[in-house]
Amino acid sequence: MERYTYEEFAHTPNTQYLFASLGSQGPINKMITFSHFGNDIFNMSLEDIDEDTGVFDQYAVTNNGDTMKILLTVAEILVHFTSKRPGAQIFIKGNTVVRNRLYRIYIAKFLDEIRQWYEVYGLRGAHWEVFERQGKYGAYLVIRVK
């Protein structure tokens, strides 16, 4: 499936990846940031970059018509990042209920493929559990096992 090309910017303690969404609203620069929490735990965030101000916006909704391509690019970036840090635990949480649900839907859709390389957990209340397709979760934890 089609993905966008990306560029990596590694600096301690964070690593960032830049790519451009090309859709109905024109080109929109996007940034994936892996923020180091400590030990091997990283928060992964997706942000748009405002061309006029240079400000990162994690709440932007661009409706550029390329959601699948963006999410596949994000997945490829996650694979790239964890291939360099095999023990990394990646914490993912949508910043809105809608975005978090979108993440759950796409994780569920590709769960069989994901599980070939990763363990996936969902946060239900205050407890982590193995991700289930029909589960409702507040956040996700992805750990590379291969």
Side-chain angles (χ1 to χ4, degrees):
M1 294 189 205
E2 248 186 295
R3 296 162 181 87
Y4 289 115
T5 58
Y6 57 86
E7 187 174 352
E8 176 186 10
F9 300 92
H11 33 79
T12 306
N14 300 332
T15 301
Q16 296 177 308
Y17 293 83
L18 176 68
F19 67 96
S21 163
L22 305 172
S24 61
Q25 305 297 320
I28 298 170
N29 287 325
K30 297 195 173 278
M31 181 74 71
I32 299 285
T33 302
F34 292 93
S35 304
H36 190 237
F37 277 175
N39 297 325
D40 285 333
I41 302 171
F42 294 83
N43 179 67
M44 185 177 80
S45 62
L46 171 62
E47 304 165 312
D48 284 8
I49 303 171
D50 185 301
E51 285 297 311
D52 297 328
T53 65
V55 172
F56 299 123
D57 183 358
Q58 65 178 330
Y59 295 98
V61 178
T62 54
N63 294 323
N64 214 10
D66 59 347
T67 302
M68 177 66 90
K69 195 169 180 180
I70 289 170
L71 290 175
L72 288 170
T73 303
V74 170
E76 185 171 304
I77 288 170
L78 181 97
V79 169
H80 181 265
F81 181 81
T82 59
S83 71
K84 295 166 61 174
R85 292 163 194 83
Q89 298 177 37
I90 310 302
F91 177 83
I92 303 166
K93 180 179 181 181
N95 53 16
T96 66
V97 172
V98 171
R99 193 162 284 172
N100 208 50
R101 181 176 175 271
L102 177 71
Y103 294 163
R104 180 182 54 80
I105 289 168
Y106 278 90
I107 291 169
K109 181 175 183 167
F110 294 102
L111 189 58
D112 294 336
E113 292 86 354
I114 294 169
R115 283 193 170 147
Q116 293 176 32
W117 296 92
Y118 295 90
E119 292 176 352
V120 183
Y121 299 92
L123 183 63
R124 188 185 310 257
H127 302 285
W128 290 103
E129 62 183 52
V130 174
F131 182 92
E132 297 176 4
R133 282 186 169 90
Q134 300 305 317
K136 299 206 187 236
Y137 304 111
Y140 310 95
L141 189 66
V142 179
I143 304 169
R144 189 172 182 138
V145 292
K146 286 188 182 180

